[in-house]
Amino acid sequence: MARARKLIMSEEIEYETRVLKYAILPKGKPIFDERCTEVSIADEAAGEYVQIEQCTDADGRQVISIDSFDEWQQISKAVEKLLSKDD
């Protein structure tokens, strides 16, 4: 986690940089590929939570399909990293 300090009118403010989203997809495919899964930290002012999103199907439903154990391992690693807040 990168940190920076800035002095504003004699008040010191500390900043940090956080990774908030990972994209898990087949190697070499673009991020708009239907198999792209995005794992992110979201917060709607009630506390942080993990959000997993994938492309919608023809009916407009959100569908998450885990095709393989390898895909699940990559998704779970991304979730663990986001929850630990370490990069």
Side-chain angles (χ1 to χ4, degrees):
M1 195 177 303
R3 296 187 184 267
R5 291 178 185 251
K6 187 175 184 179
L7 190 61
I8 299 177
M9 292 189 214
S10 73
E11 179 184 343
E12 191 172 305
I13 299 173
E14 189 173 348
Y15 291 91
E16 66 182 12
T17 301
R18 292 182 53 197
V19 176
L20 299 177
K21 186 182 278 191
Y22 285 97
I24 297 94
L25 62 155
K27 192 170 189 168
K29 295 293 183 182
I31 60 172
F32 56 83
D33 187 278
E34 64 186 13
R35 294 164 292 177
C36 179
T37 302
E38 294 181 350
V39 180
S40 62
I41 292 289
D43 190 345
E44 296 174 357
E48 294 180 357
Y49 58 94
V50 173
Q51 184 169 292
I52 301 174
E53 294 181 82
Q54 207 172 47
C55 293
T56 57
D57 66 11
D59 296 327
R61 296 174 291 145
Q62 292 288 8
V63 177
I64 296 178
S65 303
I66 309 302
D67 293 5
S68 68
F69 184 69
D70 182 58
E71 182 181 11
W72 173 249
Q73 285 182 316
Q74 294 298 316
I75 291 169
S76 65
K77 284 180 187 176
V79 169
E80 287 175 19
K81 286 181 181 179
L82 290 170
L83 290 175
S84 72
K85 298 181 183 175
D86 293 334
D87 192 83

